[in-house]
């Protein structure tokens, strides 16, 4: 008898609605549609290629699963684009759109907008591509309580080069490494960029910072001083180090430029200060390390004359190896950091186009 009474009481409790929660349960019925169409966000291409100074469209479309409807019509569609940092620890706001409202952020202001070729098109157009635009972008579409995302990678045509300052190897902490690259018309390279450079033949035995804070170096020809001659080729990884205290070289990345890179024809060889003035007199500036690498790699620039560059180094680009001019490989040859006041060389200049 007691068991029967207990069952009756339980059934009464389940049947009795709680008056205070009636509105909450009503809201849940509205928003949870177990058999309804689900919002989907899709990027038609996972990686897009461009170059500095160009325009690019990062694809992103949204729709409801098993239908061709872009939105339900009940809620406004909110589109948000962010850039993922190289270590994936945070996101940087790029662009937000909701209804007629549009907002771009930071260095993207005035350079980004939605393509909107159809009602479900959330693709982002970026104009006047900068080196810093390289990376992975997230497209997020929000409708009411539903949202979905897609990630698109923006890759730039360019060249990775190792860099160390006049002080010599292993003298840069992470922040100084970032600035060193910026000073040479480049940015600190990512692992993906270094990996692609290694696949293209980059071999360098000095470890350098990458954008994610790791320290690595690429080896195509294993040898004793560089991890051992019996090791396999690859990108060697030192791991993550203290960004303030640890000191290494850096790998920089640069792309094409809007200007003219050239060796200045001058009747005499020059000191560093004379070289700077000679370029200015010619309506240009003394060229940077990133510019000589870009001219060499992307334009096939070839010159067997050593010349001053902005950082006080002396280099020359060889794209056609020959006797007396890098006979074994195409490369930007490094002479060193000579005495600026007494050593005499030619000079490489750069004139930007307006």
């Amino acid at each position: 008898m007691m068991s029967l009474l207990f069952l009756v009481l339980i059934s009464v409790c389940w049947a009795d609605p709680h008056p205070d929660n009636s509105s909450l349960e009503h809201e849940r019925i509205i928003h949870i549609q177990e058999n309804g169409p689900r919002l989907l966000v899709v990027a038609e291409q996972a990686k897009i290629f461009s170059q500095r100074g160009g325009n690019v469209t990062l694809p992103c479309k949204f729709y409801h699963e098993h239908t061709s409807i872009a939105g339900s019509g009940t809620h406004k569609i909110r589109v948000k684009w962010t850039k993922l940092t190289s270590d994936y620890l945070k996101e940087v706001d790029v662009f937000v759109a909701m209804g007629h409202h549009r907002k771009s952020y930071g260095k993207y202001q005035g350079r980004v907008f939605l393509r909107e070729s159809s009602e479900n098109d959330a693709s982002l157009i970026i104009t006047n591509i900068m080196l810093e635009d390289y990376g992975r972008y997230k497209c997020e579409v929000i409708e009411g309580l539903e949202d979905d995302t897609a990630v698109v990678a923006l890759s730039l045509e360019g060249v990775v080069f190792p860099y160390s300052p006049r002080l010599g190897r292993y003298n840069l902490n992470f922040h100084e490494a970032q600035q060193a690259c910026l000073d040479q018309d480049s940015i600190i390279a990512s692992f993906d960029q270094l990996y692609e450079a290694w696949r293209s033949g980059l071999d360098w035995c000095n470890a350098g910072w990458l954008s994610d804070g790791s320290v690595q170096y690429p080896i195509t020809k294993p040898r004793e001083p560089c991890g051992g001659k019996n090791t396999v080729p690859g990108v060697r990884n030192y791991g993550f180090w203290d960004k303030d205290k640890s000191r290494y070289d850096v790998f920089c990345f640069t792309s094409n430029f809007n200007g003219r890179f050239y060796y200045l024809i001058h009747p005499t060889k020059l000191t560093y200060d004379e070289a700077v003035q000679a370029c200015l007199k010619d309506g240009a500036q003394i060229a940077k390390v990133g510019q000589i690498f870009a001219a060499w790699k992307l334009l096939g620039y070839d010159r067997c004359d050593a010349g001053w560059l902005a950082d006080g180094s002396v280099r020359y680009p060889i794209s056609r190896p020959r006797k007396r001019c890098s006979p074994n490989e195409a490369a930007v040859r490094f002479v060193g950091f000579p005495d600026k006041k007494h050593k005499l060389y030619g000079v490489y200049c750069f004139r930007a186009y307006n």
Side-chain angles (χ1 to χ4, degrees):
M1 184 68 180
M2 290 296 293
S3 299
L4 179 61
L5 179 61
F6 182 71
L7 288 172
V8 170
L9 287 173
I10 289 178
S11 63
V12 169
C13 290
W14 277 101
D16 184 27
H18 196 299
D20 294 337
N21 288 339
S22 59
S23 61
L24 178 59
E25 294 298 326
H26 180 66
E27 288 296 317
R28 288 176 184 168
I29 293 172
I30 288 176
H31 290 293
I32 297 178
Q33 303 178 30
E34 294 181 358
N35 299 318
R38 184 168 62 91
L39 179 68
L40 295 178
V41 175
V42 176
E44 297 165 339
Q45 292 176 261
K47 179 178 283 190
I48 302 295
F49 293 88
S50 188
Q51 59 185 5
R52 179 163 56 173
N55 302 331
V56 71
T57 300
L58 304 183
C60 180
K61 289 189 176 182
F62 62 95
Y63 57 93
H64 282 86
E65 192 175 28
H66 308 309
T67 76
S68 59
I69 301 173
S72 65
T74 306
H75 304 280
K76 285 186 177 181
I77 298 292
R78 183 172 186 259
V79 176
K80 181 178 182 180
W81 279 90
T82 55
K83 185 182 180 187
L84 306 176
T85 57
S86 58
D87 54 13
Y88 294 97
L89 295 180
K90 63 179 181 178
E91 299 178 15
V92 178
D93 289 338
V94 174
F95 183 84
V96 175
M98 185 171 180
H100 297 294
H101 300 285
R102 302 284 190 274
K103 185 174 182 180
S104 53
Y105 296 85
K107 59 187 177 61
Y108 295 99
Q109 291 184 19
R111 296 196 298 122
V112 294
F113 53 93
L114 294 184
R115 182 172 62 180
E116 297 181 295
S117 62
S118 61
E119 64 178 2
N120 67 326
D121 187 8
S123 302
L124 185 73
I125 296 176
I126 307 178
T127 62
N128 190 24
I129 294 291
M130 300 177 179
L131 292 176
E132 296 87 344
D133 293 339
Y134 168 90
R136 291 176 173 83
Y137 291 79
K138 186 176 79 173
C139 172
E140 182 178 16
V141 179
I142 304 167
E143 183 186 25
L145 296 182
E146 288 191 90
D147 72 278
D148 196 21
T149 63
V151 175
V152 184
L154 174 59
S155 185
L156 301 182
E157 178 188 15
V159 56
V160 171
F161 62 94
Y163 186 78
S164 57
R166 174 179 286 275
L167 294 174
R169 69 194 291 263
Y170 296 174
N171 266 289
L172 300 170
N173 67 25
F174 178 79
H175 311 291
E176 292 166 343
Q178 284 184 309
Q179 188 59 50
C181 289
L182 291 174
D183 290 344
Q184 300 310 315
D185 191 44
S186 60
I187 58 172
I188 188 169
S190 70
F191 169 77
D192 289 344
Q193 289 169 332
L194 182 64
Y195 179 76
E196 288 301 317
W198 168 75
R199 290 185 60 190
S200 298
L202 180 61
D203 182 279
W204 197 254
C205 200
N206 290 350
W209 291 104
L210 295 178
S211 60
D212 62 357
S214 66
V215 176
Q216 310 194 36
Y217 65 99
I219 295 297
T220 58
K221 301 183 289 289
R223 51 204 184 273
E224 205 57 50
C226 306
K229 62 182 179 180
N230 295 322
T231 58
V232 297
V235 178
R236 308 276 196 264
N237 190 345
Y238 275 17
F240 295 88
W241 292 81
D242 189 307
K243 291 183 177 181
D244 296 313
K245 297 179 181 178
S246 300
R247 295 188 172 272
Y248 292 96
D249 292 348
V250 63
F251 289 97
C252 303
F253 172 83
T254 192
S255 185
N256 64 317
F257 44 69
N258 185 29
R260 179 190 171 213
F261 173 89
Y262 62 100
Y263 181 82
L264 180 66
I265 303 302
H266 195 274
T268 62
K269 298 297 183 182
L270 307 163
T271 65
Y272 176 80
D273 290 340
E274 291 171 341
V276 171
Q277 292 303 313
C279 287
L280 290 173
K281 188 175 180 180
D282 201 50
Q285 293 182 327
I286 187 169
K288 298 179 179 181
V289 176
Q291 290 162 347
I292 195 172
F293 272 95
W296 164 72
K297 183 70 173 182
L298 305 177
L299 303 177
Y301 194 92
D302 183 281
R303 184 93 191 188
C304 200
D305 296 293
W308 290 106
L309 294 174
D311 67 339
S313 66
V314 172
R315 308 173 195 243
Y316 60 99
I318 298 297
S319 58
R320 301 188 308 274
R322 55 199 183 275
K323 190 176 181 180
R324 294 186 178 181
C325 299
S326 187
N328 298 320
E329 62 177 351
V332 174
R333 308 305 297 179
F334 175 63
V335 176
F337 286 94
D339 186 316
K340 289 183 175 182
K341 295 184 179 297
H342 300 102
K343 295 297 182 180
L344 304 177
Y345 290 96
V347 61
Y348 287 96
C349 303
F350 180 78
R351 183 184 297 129
Y353 296 147
N354 295 327

